[in-house]
Amino acid sequence: MVGAVSQGVLWGVMALGVYITFKILDFADMTVDGSFALGGCTSAVLIVHGADPLLSLLAAVMAGVIAGAITGVLHTKLNIPGILAGILMMLALYSINLHILGGPNQPLARNDVTVMNYINRWLHLSQVFKSNATAVSSLITGIIFSAVLISVLYWFFGTELGSAIRATGDNERMARAQGINTDSMKILALMLSNGLVALSGGLVMQQQRFGDVSMGIGTIVIGLASIIIGEVVFGKRFSFWFYLLSVVLGSIIYRLIIAVVLQLGMKTQDMKLLSALVVAIALSVPVIKKKFTGKKKIPAEEKSPEAN
């Protein structure tokens, strides 16, 4: 369970990136399947060649930012539909990731240092948690990154620039009428989103200790599942910071569901099917709930005229 929660927090960083495009910008970006693997592959190669793991994560973020920028340019400047622009970039990134790794995968050597190793040594986790020190260090790493990112995103989307991105997602025509360059806002949001997705890919790679060109397959589904589960379980309460927190919590719940199902004996080849089912169920819950509550209210409304 500790391992599932730690994975959920690390993947929650990716879900935050998907939240920016899917919910704030209202843009179905398929680039994330490629940019997640791009971040993992970039971080893996740099660590193998002796780079600091934190610097490798910074490079992964920059690679994701560039991928997002290209998707934005394809959509805004070349008028390619958003979903198609994302698919084109996702396909291109598969070949790019193969060139980065020099093959289909790149494992880290035992002596290669990761961010989790830093946390482990700093807090002496191996002495306290002898059996699952790696999972605990991954959990602490994910909490630190998630907390910092939620704080930064909450601040950023309260600024004039962040509000312009939100306005573009809410009503593009109205935003353009207010003098906002909506094309630039779309590109900026896609850069920010894919930068976060690539950062998550780098973190997950360092936890798993290997980079793989196919590690990003299904990322968009996992991100959507995390967002929807967070909304269904926690609802739309409080302020924008709670929406961001619910995305990470939704990612944790998703990973716990996967862990429980695997413990019950489900085969690993059925994981993608399970992910699709989880998303479908999570999407249908609000609709079913709305219909159910609507049916309960109708009799009460019909009775009132008769009583009068």
Side-chain angles (χ1 to χ4, degrees), residues 254-307:
Y254 171 81
R255 284 294 159 182
L256 287 173
I257 293 171
I258 297 295
V260 169
V261 172
L262 289 176
Q263 287 291 327
L264 293 176
M266 186 175 187
K267 296 180 180 179
T268 54
Q269 59 260 37
D270 297 326
M271 287 278 290
K272 301 302 180 185
L273 174 61
L274 176 62
S275 300
L277 287 174
V278 169
V279 174
I281 293 171
L283 281 169
S284 61
V285 165
V287 179
I288 296 172
K289 186 177 179 181
K290 187 176 181 180
K291 288 183 178 180
F292 181 74
T293 54
K295 288 180 180 179
K296 288 183 70 176
K297 289 179 180 179
I298 289 173
E301 292 172 357
E302 290 178 349
K303 278 183 179 182
S304 56
E306 295 176 4

Side-chain angles (χ1 to χ4, degrees), residues 220-265:
I220 185 64
V221 176
I222 298 172
L224 293 177
S226 303
I227 295 169
I228 296 163
I229 290 173
E231 284 188 351
V232 170
V233 175
F234 302 101
K236 296 182 178 180
R237 307 170 189 170
F238 308 115
S239 62
F240 181 64
W241 70 266
F242 187 81
Y243 297 166
L244 297 174
L245 178 61
S246 68
V247 171
V248 179
L249 295 177
S251 177
I252 294 173
I253 294 173
Y254 171 81
R255 284 294 159 182
L256 287 173
I257 293 171
I258 297 295
V260 169
V261 172
L262 289 176
Q263 287 291 327
L264 293 176

Side-chain angles (χ1 to χ4, degrees), residues 125-147:
L125 297 177
S126 298
Q127 300 174 9
V128 181
F129 304 96
K130 295 182 180 180
S131 59
N132 57 353
T134 302
V136 174
S137 63
S138 299
L139 176 59
I140 294 173
T141 303
I143 291 174
I144 292 172
F145 274 88
S146 296

Side-chain angles (χ1 to χ4, degrees), residues 5-163:
V5 174
S6 65
Q7 278 199 343
V9 179
L10 294 177
W11 283 82
V13 176
M14 176 275 300
L16 288 172
V18 176
Y19 181 84
I20 292 173
T21 51
F22 183 71
K23 281 292 184 180
I24 297 178
L25 191 63
D26 193 22
F27 187 98
D29 183 26
M30 297 296 295
T31 311
V32 296
D33 277 25
S35 58
F36 185 86
L38 176 65
C41 295
T42 302
S43 181
V45 169
L46 290 175
I47 289 176
V48 167
H49 286 82
D52 183 87
L54 288 172
L55 291 178
S56 75
L57 290 177
L58 179 61
V61 171
M62 295 308 299
V65 166
I66 294 172
I70 295 173
T71 301
V73 170
L74 290 175
H75 172 59
T76 59
K77 306 304 180 184
L78 301 181
N79 294 326
I80 297 175
I83 191 167
L84 181 56
I87 292 173
L88 290 174
M89 195 60 207
M90 176 187 68
L91 292 174
L93 285 175
Y94 187 86
S95 296
I96 292 171
N97 291 334
L98 278 172
H99 283 290
I100 292 174
L101 287 183
N105 54 65
Q106 176 64 69
L108 300 184
R110 181 166 297 189
N111 59 344
D112 286 330
V113 181
T114 64
V115 176
M116 290 74 183
N117 293 140
Y118 285 161
I119 299 294
N120 196 346
R121 294 174 184 175
W122 180 43
L123 298 177
H124 306 287
L125 297 177
S126 298
Q127 300 174 9
V128 181
F129 304 96
K130 295 182 180 180
S131 59
N132 57 353
T134 302
V136 174
S137 63
S138 299
L139 176 59
I140 294 173
T141 303
I143 291 174
I144 292 172
F145 274 88
S146 296
V148 171
L149 289 172
I150 288 174
S151 301
V152 172
L153 290 175
Y154 178 69
W155 165 81
F156 174 75
F157 283 105
T159 63
E160 185 176 348
L161 186 59
S163 298

Side-chain angles (χ1 to χ4, degrees), residues 150-228:
I150 288 174
S151 301
V152 172
L153 290 175
Y154 178 69
W155 165 81
F156 174 75
F157 283 105
T159 63
E160 185 176 348
L161 186 59
S163 298
I165 294 176
R166 296 172 73 173
T168 301
D170 288 338
N171 192 323
E172 184 177 349
R173 289 184 177 179
M174 183 62 72
R176 195 180 296 113
Q178 296 296 321
I180 298 173
N181 188 331
T182 55
D183 286 351
S184 297
M185 295 303 104
K186 288 181 180 180
I187 294 173
L188 180 60
L190 286 165
M191 291 168 64
L192 181 60
S193 170
N194 284 280
L196 292 178
V197 172
L199 172 61
S200 178
L203 289 170
V204 171
M205 184 285 302
Q206 292 190 29
Q207 182 199 35
Q208 298 177 347
R209 299 192 66 81
F210 73 91
D212 192 284
V213 294
S214 61
M215 65 185 292
I217 295 177
T219 298
I220 185 64
V221 176
I222 298 172
L224 293 177
S226 303
I227 295 169
I228 296 163

